[in-house]
Amino acid sequence: MSLKYVAASRLPTRWGDFTLHGFEDLQSGKEHVALTMGEFDPQSPVLMRIHSECLTGDALFSLRCDCGPQLQAAMQRIAEEGAGVLLYLRQEGRGIGLLNKIRAYALQDQGHDTVEANIALGFEADQRDYSFVGEMLEKVGVKKARLMTNNPRKVAAMEACGVEVVERVPHCAGQNSHNSHYLSTKAGKLGHLL
């Protein structure tokens, strides 16, 4: 086990009450959380989303990406169904970190797309790691998922962790004139299904 389960608490939100579960990655020291709502039957698929941290989109309301609206739409959809899981992973900027993400933004301001900017900084296009997700889901009681994502890589990562994805639920939110090039790059270069 590479993850340590730390604690859980109630998290009231504008969409209802979630339970907030804290995990520590013993290898990287990063802290991740799972938000759960409702009860889960291990034999039934659970609506879920894997969301990587995006300070600029999630907390600062950036229009350069669709992250904040995707996070909020996932929480709302889980609340509407009355049950689900949202994993919030500390993998800012597709795994390159906040300051490197700002550097990548500066390159994008000069004409690079999001993939070219990461590569110009010496990174892969997407450095996120989902190998520990299975441990998080096991702790909260999920074995089958209806995964809210446009990223086929997340479906493959879930299945590699032993979680059966019975349905990929399209999850589009937050498109605007500031992020249209970003979204077309995600579709064209990263294979996202938009």
Side-chain angles (χ1 to χ4, degrees), residues 49-97:
R49 166 114 180 118
I50 300 172
H51 188 89
S52 293
E53 174 184 35
C54 178
L55 178 71
T56 53
D58 298 343
L60 302 177
F61 314 109
S62 170
L63 296 177
R64 293 183 83 129
C65 64
D66 55 346
C67 301
Q70 283 192 344
L71 174 63
Q72 293 178 37
M75 293 177 72
Q76 180 175 343
R77 180 125 187 222
I78 289 168
E80 288 170 354
E81 292 210 5
V85 177
L86 186 138
L87 301 184
Y88 193 89
L89 309 181
R90 304 298 298 275
Q91 302 192 112
E92 182 78 47
R94 280 197 217 102
I96 68 173

Side-chain angles (χ1 to χ4, degrees), residues 151-162:
N151 185 349
R153 185 171 171 240
K154 288 183 182 177
V155 175
M158 292 277 290
E159 292 176 346
C161 291

Side-chain angles (χ1 to χ4, degrees), residues 2-190:
S2 64
L3 283 186
K4 176 183 174 185
Y5 185 77
V6 178
S9 70
R10 186 176 71 88
L11 182 71
T13 74
R14 66 180 171 184
W15 300 282
D17 285 0
F18 287 82
T19 300
L20 181 66
H21 305 264
F23 296 84
E24 180 184 4
D25 185 321
L26 299 175
Q27 294 174 341
S28 70
K30 290 184 178 178
E31 299 165 340
H32 308 285
V33 297
L35 281 79
T36 61
M37 179 180 277
E39 300 295 322
F40 311 136
D41 173 356
Q43 302 309 312
S44 298
V46 176
L47 181 66
M48 69 163 295
R49 166 114 180 118
I50 300 172
H51 188 89
S52 293
E53 174 184 35
C54 178
L55 178 71
T56 53
D58 298 343
L60 302 177
F61 314 109
S62 170
L63 296 177
R64 293 183 83 129
C65 64
D66 55 346
C67 301
Q70 283 192 344
L71 174 63
Q72 293 178 37
M75 293 177 72
Q76 180 175 343
R77 180 125 187 222
I78 289 168
E80 288 170 354
E81 292 210 5
V85 177
L86 186 138
L87 301 184
Y88 193 89
L89 309 181
R90 304 298 298 275
Q91 302 192 112
E92 182 78 47
R94 280 197 217 102
I96 68 173
L98 178 60
L99 298 181
N100 284 319
K101 177 179 167 179
I102 296 170
R103 290 181 181 101
Y105 277 173
L107 290 172
Q108 291 170 42
D109 290 342
Q110 297 168 19
H112 290 73
D113 67 34
T114 183
V115 169
E116 293 165 348
N118 279 20
I119 291 170
L121 291 171
F123 300 106
E124 296 175 25
D126 190 339
Q127 295 203 166
R128 291 176 291 184
D129 175 19
Y130 302 110
S131 62
F132 55 88
V133 164
E135 290 181 58
M136 294 177 78
L137 293 173
E138 182 179 338
K139 181 64 180 174
V140 298
V142 175
K143 296 188 182 303
K144 296 180 181 180
R146 295 170 45 234
L147 184 62
M148 289 184 277
T149 189
N150 303 317
N151 185 349
R153 185 171 171 240
K154 288 183 182 177
V155 175
M158 292 277 290
E159 292 176 346
C161 291
V163 178
E164 180 185 351
V165 177
V166 300
E167 179 186 3
R168 182 191 71 81
V169 179
H171 192 64
C172 296
Q175 297 89 341
N176 64 70
S177 62
H178 299 282
N179 67 18
S180 59
H181 183 62
Y182 166 79
L183 294 174
S184 65
T185 300
K186 285 201 323 184
K189 292 189 174 181
L190 297 172

